[in-house]
Amino acid sequence: MVVVLPGWVWRGGPVRRAVIIGLSAGVFFGAFVLAESGSWVGAVAAVLVLGPFYGIRVARRMGRVWPGAGDLDPADRVAVVRAARRGEDIGDARLAPAVVDYCNGLRTAREHDRLLLWVVLVFAALAVALALIDTFSGSTRQAGVSWLFVLIFLVELTWWPRRQSRIMSRAEQAERSARRVLRQRDSSGE
């Protein structure tokens, strides 16, 4: 998840990141609850419970993946993330170590995500089973939402890994560029 977060999410500190991610996730889950059950109370409960839980969890993970982010001002954090995600030279020798650090964090996050692939596969299988049950014994609305959930798992299992691979390839390119800048700086004695 951390690998595919856009650069602008890094602009704020941990609290702002938790709010942005949590609110987005809460609204997403709340919309699913509303679509499936038609209950506004359930949808609000999903926003109020799942939003903070997910936001805090992801913001903490972001902090563990790239602990050096706190040492940079917001504009520099965004510049580092954007350069790495685009595979560009950071253009600032002062930020080159941060690019290397961020890219190392992305690798760590991606490896962690790979270890949890079996969890996604189990939940995808459960989603298919529930969608089949809803198709044959539930309402049309329940079946539609269940199959939409299956579609989300398909995206998670197909599009997401390709997107991560593209980002990682670009990040490695940016990291090589940053390491060149660091070697040049070290050899010139600055």
Side-chain angles (χ1 to χ4, degrees), residues 43-67:
V44 169
V47 170
L48 294 177
V49 173
L50 294 175
F53 171 77
Y54 198 75
I56 292 167
R57 182 179 164 274
V58 173
R60 287 182 53 143
R61 184 156 182 240
M62 290 171 75
R64 283 192 307 272
V65 163
W66 187 23

Side-chain angles (χ1 to χ4, degrees), residues 11-175:
R11 183 171 303 281
V15 172
R16 181 177 174 187
R17 291 192 298 261
V19 169
I20 290 169
I21 293 165
L23 188 58
S24 301
V27 168
F28 177 78
F29 292 126
F32 260 107
V33 169
L34 182 62
E36 199 275 330
S37 68
S39 168
W40 281 99
V41 173
V44 169
V47 170
L48 294 177
V49 173
L50 294 175
F53 171 77
Y54 198 75
I56 292 167
R57 182 179 164 274
V58 173
R60 287 182 53 143
R61 184 156 182 240
M62 290 171 75
R64 283 192 307 272
V65 163
W66 187 23
D71 299 334
L72 300 172
D73 67 46
D76 287 343
R77 267 195 309 270
V78 171
V80 166
V81 172
R82 284 188 179 153
R85 289 172 54 86
R86 293 176 180 169
E88 299 172 349
D89 181 1
I90 190 67
D92 184 346
R94 175 182 60 85
L95 295 177
V99 171
V100 173
D101 191 32
Y102 175 72
C103 292
N104 287 334
L106 285 181
R107 267 192 292 284
T108 301
R110 187 169 188 208
E111 288 305 314
H112 183 265
D113 289 348
R114 283 184 181 161
L115 294 174
L116 294 177
L117 178 62
W118 68 272
V119 174
V120 175
L121 290 170
V122 167
F123 278 102
L126 289 173
V128 169
L130 289 173
L132 289 170
I133 291 168
D134 285 346
T135 298
F136 294 113
S137 63
S139 70
T140 304
R141 179 176 65 196
Q142 287 174 327
V145 171
S146 293
W147 285 109
L148 182 59
F149 210 64
V150 169
L151 180 64
I152 289 170
F153 275 109
L154 287 174
V155 167
E156 175 79 20
L157 292 168
T158 58
W159 175 80
W160 211 269
R162 287 194 312 265
R163 180 77 176 137
Q164 282 183 336
S165 292
R166 269 195 308 271
I167 291 170
M168 290 307 300
S169 174
R170 291 176 185 156
E172 288 166 359
Q173 187 177 0
E175 182 181 20

